[in-house]
């Protein structure tokens, strides 16, 4: 391990504070030019009317930052593009005349990546414990994205999480005989349960099939403590 001689720790409270102090001059320059923009720490979006204008503004801002503030723009993370194809602080916008905020696809993938290790660990513990560990993460995520208006992202993620939990059930049951017994115990017709238990398909397929949705309905998962992103979002918006 080597000691640091420059920069600030990423994710620390000092980094955004220093960014705001240093980039205040950039804000003033953008205001002077009459641009519409939004900035948080070192993440900045500037809105113009055409791609050609965007290219000109990007080039001029690169020169301004290099000559005035001795800063270099990260070209790998910078682009001239449509607003609904870019993201800002995990949000993007809808492609319509009256734009609305929505959750970016990248943010949805990051949440899935964060939940996967926890869901894998859930194979050896009770589902109630897994749901309890999920709860603070899901509530925090819904609170952060409470300003998103189209709710389809929350619905898609809810469905994905429920299916992942049904995968855990299917894996815990292990053998076709156990699966048959559990399916019958949970209300499936014996003939249908026998066919489903021995279908030879993988856990992900079975978790999305009708027999598992019937055996492990959403209300069962809710009783175990599963937080619904959609319902949490509605509650935060005062719609429930």
């Amino acid at each position: 391990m080597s000691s640091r001689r420059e920069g600030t720790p990423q994710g620390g409270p000092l980094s955004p504070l220093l960014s705001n102090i240093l980039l205040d001059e950039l804000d003033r320059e953008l205001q002077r030019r009459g641009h519409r923009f939004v900035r948080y720490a070192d993440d900045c979006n500037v809105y113009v009317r055409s791609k050609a204008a965007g290219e000109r503004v990007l080039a001029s801002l690169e020169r301004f930052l290099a000559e005035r503030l001795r800063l270099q723009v990260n070209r790998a993370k910078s682009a001239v593009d449509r607003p609904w194809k870019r993201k800002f602080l995990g949000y993007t916008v809808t492609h319509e005349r009256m734009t609305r905020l929505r959750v970016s696809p990248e943010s949805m993938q990051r949440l899935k990546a964060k939940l996967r290790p926890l869901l894998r660990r859930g194979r050896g513990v009770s589902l109630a414990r897994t749901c309890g560990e999920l709860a603070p993460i899901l509530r925090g995520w819904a609170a952060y994205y409470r300003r998103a208006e189209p709710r389809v992202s929350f619905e898609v993620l809810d469905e994905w999480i429920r299916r992942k939990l049904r995968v855990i059930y299917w894996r815990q049951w292990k053998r076709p005989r156990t699966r048959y017994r559990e399916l019958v115990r949970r209300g499936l017709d014996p003939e249908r349960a026998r066919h489903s238990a021995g279908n030879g398909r993988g856990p992900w397929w079975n978790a999305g099939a009708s027999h598992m949705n019937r055996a492990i309905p959403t209300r069962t998962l809710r009783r175990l403590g599963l937080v619904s992103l959609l319902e949490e979002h509605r509650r935060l918006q005062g719609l429930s």
Side-chain angles (χ1 to χ4, degrees):
M1 181 180 293
S2 60
S3 60
R4 293 179 176 272
R5 295 184 177 275
E6 61 181 14
T8 59
Q10 187 173 7
L14 185 59
S15 181
L17 174 62
L18 293 177
S19 294
N20 284 333
I21 293 172
L22 181 61
L23 295 175
D24 180 67
E25 193 168 348
L26 172 63
D27 295 345
R28 294 177 184 277
E29 177 66 16
L30 290 169
Q31 289 173 340
R32 186 185 68 78
R33 298 183 186 187
H35 289 313
R36 294 187 177 185
F37 70 96
V38 58
R39 183 183 66 79
Y40 179 83
D42 62 347
D43 196 357
C44 182
N45 284 3
V46 182
Y47 302 99
V48 294
R49 291 184 177 276
S50 68
K51 183 177 181 179
E55 297 287 358
R56 288 195 303 271
V57 169
L58 178 58
S60 67
L61 288 179
E62 280 186 307
R63 289 194 299 271
F64 173 83
L65 290 167
E67 295 171 4
R68 184 74 68 85
L69 301 179
R70 301 292 190 268
L71 296 174
Q72 184 176 357
V73 172
N74 187 338
R75 269 293 189 169
K77 295 183 178 180
S78 304
V80 176
D81 211 337
R82 300 287 190 182
W84 51 87
K85 294 183 179 180
R86 303 295 293 172
K87 62 182 177 65
F88 183 74
L89 302 180
Y91 282 90
T92 185
V93 296
T94 57
H95 182 189
E96 54 193 18
R97 187 173 181 84
M98 296 297 293
T99 59
R100 297 177 292 166
L101 288 173
R102 68 182 180 91
V103 180
S104 72
E106 294 87 350
S107 298
M108 295 175 64
Q109 292 305 316
R110 279 198 299 272
L111 177 63
K112 287 183 177 182
K114 183 174 183 177
L115 296 181
R116 280 191 180 98
L118 191 155
L119 291 165
R120 280 195 293 268
R121 292 198 305 270
R123 298 172 190 173
V125 300
S126 70
L127 266 290
R129 176 176 170 181
T130 299
C131 290
E133 293 176 346
L134 288 172
I137 299 173
L138 298 179
R139 287 197 177 97
W141 198 88
Y144 182 83
Y145 290 102
R146 64 187 179 277
R147 296 185 182 279
E149 293 187 55
R151 296 191 295 272
V152 64
S153 301
F154 300 89
E155 295 171 352
V156 168
L157 286 168
D158 273 342
E159 183 178 351
W160 180 84
I161 293 167
R162 290 194 298 267
R163 189 167 178 177
K164 279 288 191 179
L165 292 173
R166 292 184 182 110
V167 165
I168 295 174
Y169 271 109
W170 192 257
R171 289 184 182 279
Q172 287 180 344
W173 294 342
K174 293 182 179 179
R175 294 187 175 88
R177 182 180 300 177
T178 306
R179 290 168 180 166
Y180 166 77
R181 186 173 63 248
E182 289 293 336
L183 290 173
V184 170
R185 186 171 73 85
R186 295 167 186 271
L188 260 71
D189 175 83
E191 184 61 31
R192 184 183 178 191
R194 185 176 296 105
H195 175 77
S196 300
N199 60 35
R201 301 217 181 223
W204 181 251
W205 185 91
N206 277 284
S210 60
H211 56 270
M212 281 300 284
N213 279 269
R214 170 77 181 277
I216 314 292
T218 300
R219 64 178 179 274
T220 296
L221 298 175
R222 294 302 304 276
R223 282 199 298 268
L224 292 172
L226 178 64
V227 171
S228 165
L229 287 170
L230 179 59
E231 290 186 14
E232 190 69 9
H233 179 259
R234 290 177 59 86
R235 183 185 68 79
L236 291 166
Q237 290 197 328
L239 300 176
S240 57

